[in-house]
Amino acid sequence: MERDADRPGETPDDGSGLADRARGATQQLVADATRVGPLVHRRGVVGRPVPVRAPAPPGASTDPVAEVGRWFVPVTTGERLVGFALVDVATSPPRTDGADVREPAARVRRWSTFQRHEGDLESCPPALLWTDPTTITATAMAATGAGEGARTAEPVLTWERTPEHLVWEVTVDGRPVHVAGSSAWPA
């Protein structure tokens, strides 16, 4: 995907425009009860989109400007994460008339719910486990046995094995740790 900074005379996009598109696509999804179910349609709240970054190759440092291909958009009901949308946001190619009015287009790639059956909130995890950087970092630290003085990096949403297996990656004292909900393991 081409970023604004890659176009001559353009300034870098801070990602907010792409995030807005991902959020808008998810809001349209939640507005359709036939796609998400009555509970999510009536009570679902679309949260802040999070970029999903490609995993860094083994031994390589994480590139903070790595290209974002998808966005994780949480949908909550109260304190529970009822589901999430994975949204692709891509810049359309330039028009054939020479005008360069490319707009990011968003497409919901996948909708996943934690409900075992319609209306079930008990099987849905606390939203903080998937959306709060402090909680995600604490889960990684607990898994490694790291104490309060441990050096940590900001959690990065990525995947393990395939793009469908989302995990948060947190570096704790130089060691990458994967976190998915309340579970954590060495990356």
Side-chain angles (χ1 to χ4, degrees), residues 73-177:
V73 187
V75 178
T76 59
T77 299
E79 300 295 317
R80 300 289 186 160
L81 179 64
V82 70
F84 65 89
L86 272 182
V87 181
D88 289 336
V89 180
T91 304
S92 59
R95 294 189 341 206
T96 55
D97 65 2
D100 192 6
V101 291
R102 293 180 264 192
E103 286 293 321
R107 179 178 66 89
V108 174
R109 176 183 213 70
R110 176 176 132 203
W111 163 251
S112 292
T113 182
F114 291 100
Q115 299 177 87
R116 290 191 182 125
H117 54 81
E118 175 55 39
D120 170 36
L121 289 177
E122 290 301 313
S123 59
C124 299
L128 292 177
L129 291 175
W130 279 95
T131 62
D132 179 56
T134 302
T135 302
I136 294 161
T137 300
T139 302
M141 289 177 63
T144 63
E148 279 188 41
R151 290 172 292 127
T152 61
E154 189 72 23
V156 174
L157 190 59
T158 186
W159 65 82
E160 184 178 70
R161 293 184 305 277
T162 69
E164 281 68 40
H165 293 107
L166 294 177
V167 294
W168 285 95
E169 186 166 293
V170 182
T171 302
V172 179
D173 287 335
R175 297 174 301 188
V177 177

Side-chain angles (χ1 to χ4, degrees), residues 21-65:
R21 300 258 184 209
R23 190 168 198 274
T26 305
Q27 288 171 326
Q28 288 178 354
L29 172 74
V30 169
D32 185 350
T34 62
R35 294 179 67 195
V36 297
L39 175 89
V40 174
H41 173 70
R42 283 191 326 272
R43 296 177 41 201
V45 176
V46 177
R48 181 184 60 84
V50 178
V52 179
R53 304 205 182 271
S61 64
T62 303
D63 177 7
V65 195

